[in-house]
C-alpha cells in the first residue's frame, strides 16, 4: 500500500469515528478534501462528496462547522451543482452573523487572546474570501483586508512571540490569498506583503546561529504542539512557493527540509495525535501539488 492509500485510509477511519468531536472530525474532512485536490483519488472524492451532501441536507450550521465551508465551495466549483451553492449561502449567513457580532470587534477587546484571535480568523477568512471572489463580485474585499490589517496591528502590539499564533496567522493569510482574485491588485498585494512578512518572521524565530533550530535538536525534545506548528510552517512555505508568493529557488528547500523533519517525527507518534496528523497531511498534500507543477 502506497503512502496516499495509507493516509486516505487513516483519514476515512478517523472521520467515521463516532467518538471524535466535531471540530477534529471537520478538520480531517478538510484534510481529505485537500488530499483529493492534490491526488484526484476517487476514494477521497467519494467520501468528501458524501460528507458534503450530508451538509447540504442541514438547515443550519454552527460555528464548529465553519471549516466545512471551503469543502462545499470546492464541490460547487467542480460540479456547479446548485445544492452546494445553497449550502454555501447558509454557511455565509453564519459567517456574517459572527462578523457582525462578537468577531468584528473581538480583537479590539481586552478579553481577546492572540491564540483565539488567529484561530477564529482561520475558521472564517479563507471561506469569506472564496465567497466574495466567486459569488459577491469582490464587494467586501476591502473589509477583509482591513480585518487582516487590524489583526496584524493587534498582534504586533499585544502578543509576545508565539510560534503557534504566527503559524496559524501565516496559514490563514496564504489560504486566503489562494482564493483571492489578483484583479483587485492593491488588496492582493497588501495581503501578500503581510504573508511574506509573517513567514520571514517565523523563519527568523526558528533560526539559531544561522542554523534552523529543528535541525540541531533531537525530535524527542520537541513537544507535539510545537511539531504541529512546524508542520503548519512547512505547509505555508510549500504553498507560498507553489503560488509564487515566495521564490521557490530561495525557500522551497527549507520547506521540504522542514516537511521531512516533521514527517520523521510523525512516524513515532500515536494515531490519536489528531492536530499533528492533520497538519502533517496538509503539508504532504501541498508537497504533492508543488511537485506536480
Amino acid at each position: 500500500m502506497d503512502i496516499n492509500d495509507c493516509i486516505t485510509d487513516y483519514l476515512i477511519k478517523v472521520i467515521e469515528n463516532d467518538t471524535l468531536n466535531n471540530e477534529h472530525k471537520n478538520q480531517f474532512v478538510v484534510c481529505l478534501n485537500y488530499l483529493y485536490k492534490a491526488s484526484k483519488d476517487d476514494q477521497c472524492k467519494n467520501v468528501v462528496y458524501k460528507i458534503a451532501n450530508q451538509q447540504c441536507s442541514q438547515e443550519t450550521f454552527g460555528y464548529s462547522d465553519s471549516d466545512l465551508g471551503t469543502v462545499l465551495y470546492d464541490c460547487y466549483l467542480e460540479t456547479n451543482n446548485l445544492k452546494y451553492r445553497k449550502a454555501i449561502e447558509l454557511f455565509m449567513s453564519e459567517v456574517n452573523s459572527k462578523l457582525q457580532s462578537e468577531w468584528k470587534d473581538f480583537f479590539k477587546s481586552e478579553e481577546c487572546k492572540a491564540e483565539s484571535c488567529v484561530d477564529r480568523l482561520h475558521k472564517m477568512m479563507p471561506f469569506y474570501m472564496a465567497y466574495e471572489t466567486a459569488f459577491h463580485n469582490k464587494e467586501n474585499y476591502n473589509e477583509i483586508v482591513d480585518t487582516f490589517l487590524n489583526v496584524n496591528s493587534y498582534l504586533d502590539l499585544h502578543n509576545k512571540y508565539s510560534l503557534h499564533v504566527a503559524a496559524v496567522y501565516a496559514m490563514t493569510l496564504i489560504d486566503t490569498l489562494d482564493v483571492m482574485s489578483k484583479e483587485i491588485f492593491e488588496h492582493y498585494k497588501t495581503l501578500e506583503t503581510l504573508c511574506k512578512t509573517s513567514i520571514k518572521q517565523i523563519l527568523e524565530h526558528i533560526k539559531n546561529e544561522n542554523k534552523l533550530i529543528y535541525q540541531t535538536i533531537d525530535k524527542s525534545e520537541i513537544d507535539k504542539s510545537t511539531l504541529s506548528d512546524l508542520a503548519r510552517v512547512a505547509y505555508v512555505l510549500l504553498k507560498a512557493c507553489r503560488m509564487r508568493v515566495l521564490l521557490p529557488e530561495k525557500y522551497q528547500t527549507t520547506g521540504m527540509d522542514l516537511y521531512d523533519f516533521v514527517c520523521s517525527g510523525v512516524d513515532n507518534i500515536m494515531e490519536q495525535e489528531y492536530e499533528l496528523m492533520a497538519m502533517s497531511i496538509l503539508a504532504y498534500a501541498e508537497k504533492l501539488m508543488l511537485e506536480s507543477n
Side-chain angles (χ1 to χ4, degrees):
M1 182 180 290
D2 68 15
I3 186 169
N4 273 348
D5 292 335
C6 288
I7 292 174
T8 301
D9 287 350
Y10 168 77
L11 285 171
I12 293 172
K13 183 176 77 171
V14 172
I15 290 166
E16 293 176 348
N17 180 359
D18 292 335
T19 64
L20 192 64
N21 68 50
N22 264 358
E23 188 164 354
H24 279 132
K25 186 172 292 190
N26 291 345
Q27 191 175 39
F28 281 111
V29 175
V30 171
C31 288
L32 189 66
N33 181 55
Y34 208 72
L35 185 60
Y36 167 58
K37 290 168 70 174
S39 67
K40 297 304 178 185
D41 179 83
D42 285 339
Q43 190 178 11
C44 291
K45 178 180 180 178
N46 292 338
V47 178
V48 166
Y49 274 88
K50 176 183 175 182
I51 292 166
N53 291 334
Q54 289 170 352
Q55 290 297 314
C56 289
S57 67
Q58 293 185 206
E59 295 183 359
T60 60
F61 298 104
Y63 179 70
S64 64
D65 296 319
S66 299
D67 291 333
L68 298 183
T70 53
V71 176
L72 289 168
Y73 172 77
D74 287 334
C75 290
Y76 176 76
L77 288 186
E78 187 170 66
T79 66
N80 207 33
N81 191 316
L82 290 178
K83 69 179 179 181
Y84 300 121
R85 173 68 189 273
K86 181 180 178 182
I88 287 166
E89 293 293 344
L90 286 175
F91 262 84
M92 193 60 220
S93 66
E94 172 67 18
V95 170
N96 269 328
S97 173
K98 294 294 182 183
L99 288 169
Q100 297 304 322
S101 55
E102 74 264 23
W103 165 245
K104 195 167 184 180
D105 295 316
F106 175 74
F107 53 85
K108 298 178 182 177
S109 69
E110 292 182 3
E111 293 79 15
C112 177
K113 302 297 183 186
E115 186 169 325
S116 297
C117 182
V118 295
D119 286 345
R120 290 186 182 206
L121 198 72
H122 189 257
K123 275 186 173 294
M124 293 188 182
M125 283 305 168
F127 171 67
Y128 187 15
M129 181 63 82
Y131 180 86
E132 285 296 316
T133 300
F135 308 123
H136 204 231
N137 203 29
K138 312 171 188 67
E139 288 185 14
N140 289 327
Y141 267 31
N142 188 63
E143 178 178 304
I144 295 172
V145 171
D146 284 347
T147 298
F148 274 106
L149 290 171
N150 287 329
V151 171
N152 197 71
S153 297
Y154 172 84
L155 295 177
D156 285 345
L157 287 172
H158 299 282
N159 185 41
K160 293 181 180 178
Y161 193 89
S162 157
L163 178 60
H164 176 74
V165 169
V168 175
Y169 182 56
M171 189 175 182
T172 305
L173 282 163
I174 198 66
D175 286 347
T176 303
L177 280 168
D178 192 29
V179 291
M180 186 178 189
S181 171
K182 294 182 181 179
E183 292 176 5
I184 316 298
F185 184 75
E186 182 181 350
H187 289 331
Y188 186 89
K189 291 303 290 185
T190 297
L191 291 195
E192 185 182 58
T193 299
L194 289 177
C195 188
K196 287 180 180 178
T197 301
S198 177
I199 294 170
K200 290 173 183 177
Q201 287 174 344
I202 291 170
L203 292 179
E204 282 299 314
H205 175 73
I206 60 176
K207 276 184 179 178
N208 178 22
E209 297 178 357
N210 298 321
K211 292 184 178 180
L212 292 171
I213 290 175
Y214 65 81
Q215 293 175 333
T216 65
I217 58 180
D218 190 319
K219 286 183 287 294
S220 63
E221 297 176 11
I222 302 181
D223 62 82
K224 299 302 185 291
S225 177
T226 300
L227 205 56
S228 297
D229 290 325
L230 290 175
R232 282 187 177 90
V233 176
Y235 166 83
V236 169
L237 280 169
L238 296 175
K239 188 167 188 173
C241 288
R242 177 174 61 83
M243 292 172 57
R244 307 294 295 188
V245 170
L246 295 177
L247 292 173
E249 54 268 30
K250 187 173 181 181
Y251 292 97
Q252 185 170 327
T253 298
T254 300
M256 289 293 192
D257 287 348
L258 185 50
Y259 167 79
D260 289 340
F261 175 84
V262 170
C263 286
S264 62
V266 169
D267 287 343
N268 301 315
I269 69 167
M270 298 289 289
E271 287 187 352
Q272 288 77 16
E273 295 286 352
Y274 296 127
E275 183 78 9
L276 177 52
M277 293 299 291
M279 293 306 106
S280 300
I281 291 167
L282 285 178
Y284 168 74
E286 189 54 55
K287 175 176 172 284
L288 287 184
M289 292 188 196
L290 181 59
E291 290 174 339
S292 67
N293 266 8

